[in-house]
Amino acid sequence: MASPATSTGSTPKRPHADWRAFVAAGCFLAAASAVGADPKLLPPEQAFRFSARALDDRTVEARFAVEDGYYLYRDKLKFAVEPTVVAIAPPDLPAGKVKEDPFFGRVETYRGDVVVRLPLAKAVAGQSIVLAADSQGCADLGVCYPVNRQQVTLAMPAAGKGPGPVVEAYPRKKNWFN
Amino acid sequence: MASTLIRRIGIAGLAIVALGAGLYFGMRDQVPAPELVAAAAINGLALPDADGKERRIDEWRGKVVVINFWATWCAPCREEMPEFMKAQREFGSKGLQFVGIAVDQPDKAKQYVAEIELNYPTLVGGFGAMELSKTLGNTLMALPFTVVLDRKGAVAHTQLGVFKPDKLDAIVKQLL
């Protein structure tokens, strides 16, 4: 009895089967390498982006943009200004999130945006000042950074004018999306 | 005619390969690999311990040395130190030696070492020690950072962040 000319079980090869397998293998490898990769950590100047602007000729607004997954210690924030004759009056730091640390006891930390108003000892209309900010923080992944200093140079507005533009210590690099 | 040309091209090709090989092997001896430079730097490091006595890392040569950069202001560092003390107790007699390097003020480091009764030596390096850790791969200069040296003093592993006990255990057991 003659058997019909049909397939005997194995499926016929489709023309695109090879490249599909290749793409699937590539996706698998990419996913596997992502799972196994070390956590990506940011350098402190990117994890805790510092910027400032002059509000008027004797007041500066300092800002930290803290990336998700990172935090700053409130009691480690310090500000200084050059020339020193316009010294900053003790800043009124915003309240942080209180937590009981097993090693340090009661600590206050900042996440997200931290804005601090800094009154200068005297007006410096039309002059330039350098504002330096010391901060210390950690990543939730279990890594801490030593005290990090960032600074900006601000052109103070004339008397009765302001606010001035925001100046970033480490401007973000431009990419195709901004 | 054609065969002469082919022979000449072949000879010129061989000469180029020989020149490249000569340059490569010659330069290889003169320019040590970065990891060798870093290993030499860490092995030759001399710093005061918590009591002010100068110690050198290579005095522990022949043992598996786990060098832990830490600081009192670093909570994750404090978190992992009891695990290191435990491993020191467990594997010390088999040739494991932990050595701390405090990126801190000497009085603060000394006080904390006494407080937790640290069972291995710690050196006090200040911020200069952080610069050294950078050459060993701690490019972010963050803490904790740990370097494992094999018995010959070569860098076997570096770890940024808390060293999980099971991972430490596996690496150390392989080297002992």
Side-chain angles (χ1 to χ4, degrees):
Chain A
M1 186 175 159
S3 60
T6 55
S7 166
T8 55
S10 65
T11 50
K13 242 185 180 175
R14 286 173 299 182
H16 298 303
D18 287 346
W19 73 260
R20 283 178 184 172
F22 189 73
V23 169
C27 290
F28 173 77
L29 286 174
S33 64
V35 169
D38 280 340
K40 180 77 178 160
L41 287 159
L42 295 170
E45 66 274 11
Q46 288 176 26
F48 316 110
R49 285 186 181 275
F50 175 65
S51 63
R53 63 174 179 160
L55 293 179
D56 55 44
D57 62 353
R58 64 177 305 162
T59 316
V60 171
E61 183 186 78
R63 179 184 296 265
F64 280 97
V66 180
E67 288 285 331
D68 285 349
Y70 296 80
Y71 58 91
L72 284 176
Y73 286 107
R74 181 178 185 263
D75 67 342
K76 302 287 184 190
L77 278 194
K78 302 275 187 301
F79 299 95
V81 68
E82 287 280 348
T84 49
V85 288
V86 295
I88 296 166
D92 189 15
L93 295 174
K97 186 182 176 190
V98 177
K99 75 166 186 175
E100 283 298 326
D101 186 278
F103 302 106
F104 305 128
R106 184 182 184 279
V107 292
E108 283 187 56
T109 58
Y110 294 128
R111 290 176 187 267
D113 272 5
V114 187
V115 181
V116 185
R117 197 180 167 94
L118 303 168
L120 303 180
K122 68 173 195 174
V124 278
Q127 295 180 36
S128 278
I129 63 164
V130 177
L131 176 67
D134 289 345
S135 64
Q136 200 253 306
C138 303
D140 290 333
L141 288 168
V143 165
C144 290
Y145 301 87
V147 171
N148 177 251
R149 171 162 287 197
Q150 299 184 68
Q151 62 183 41
V152 293
T153 301
L154 299 174
M156 300 301 286
K161 303 281 184 185
V166 173
V167 180
E168 291 178 284
Y170 292 90
R172 287 174 195 274
K173 284 183 181 163
K174 294 276 181 194
N175 60 35
W176 287 3
F177 303 103
N178 63 16
Chain B
M1 184 74 181
S3 65
T4 308
L5 184 63
I6 290 167
R7 198 179 303 130
R8 283 179 181 170
I9 290 170
I11 291 168
L14 280 174
I16 290 168
V17 170
L19 177 67
L23 283 173
Y24 172 74
F25 288 108
M27 295 293 282
R28 196 179 61 165
D29 289 343
Q30 287 169 22
V31 184
E35 62 271 23
L36 295 181
V37 175
I42 190 75
N43 279 285
L45 182 68
L47 287 170
D49 64 15
D51 295 320
K53 185 186 165 198
E54 188 168 290
R55 309 288 295 265
R56 280 176 63 96
I57 295 294
D58 58 8
E59 74 180 75
W60 293 288
R61 180 73 61 84
K63 294 186 172 189
V64 173
V65 183
V66 181
I67 301 165
N68 173 236
F69 292 80
W70 68 282
T72 55
W73 47 261
C74 163
C77 302
R78 293 185 178 210
E79 182 190 325
E80 70 178 352
M81 285 166 84
E83 290 295 337
F84 292 167
M85 292 165 70
K86 193 172 150 196
Q88 182 64 59
R89 274 194 299 274
E90 195 174 343
F91 299 112
S93 60
K94 292 172 184 160
L96 179 65
Q97 182 62 59
F98 279 82
V99 179
I101 295 183
V103 184
D104 217 322
Q105 295 166 18
D107 54 336
K108 287 188 176 174
K110 187 174 180 177
Q111 187 186 345
Y112 191 65
V113 163
E115 187 184 319
I116 63 167
E117 297 177 350
L118 196 68
N119 64 351
Y120 54 84
T122 194
L123 316 184
V124 184
F127 200 73
M130 199 70 115
E131 287 289 340
L132 173 70
S133 77
K134 193 176 179 182
T135 67
L136 290 157
N138 185 14
T139 52
L140 294 176
M141 294 205 285
L143 294 179
F145 180 69
T146 305
V147 181
V148 183
L149 302 180
D150 68 14
R151 290 181 188 271
K152 291 178 180 171
V155 177
H157 182 80
T158 61
Q159 174 78 35
L160 176 62
V162 172
F163 217 142
K164 302 284 182 206
D166 52 345
K167 187 177 180 184
L168 173 70
D169 210 51
I171 290 168
V172 162
K173 278 181 179 165
Q174 202 175 10
L175 295 170
L176 283 174

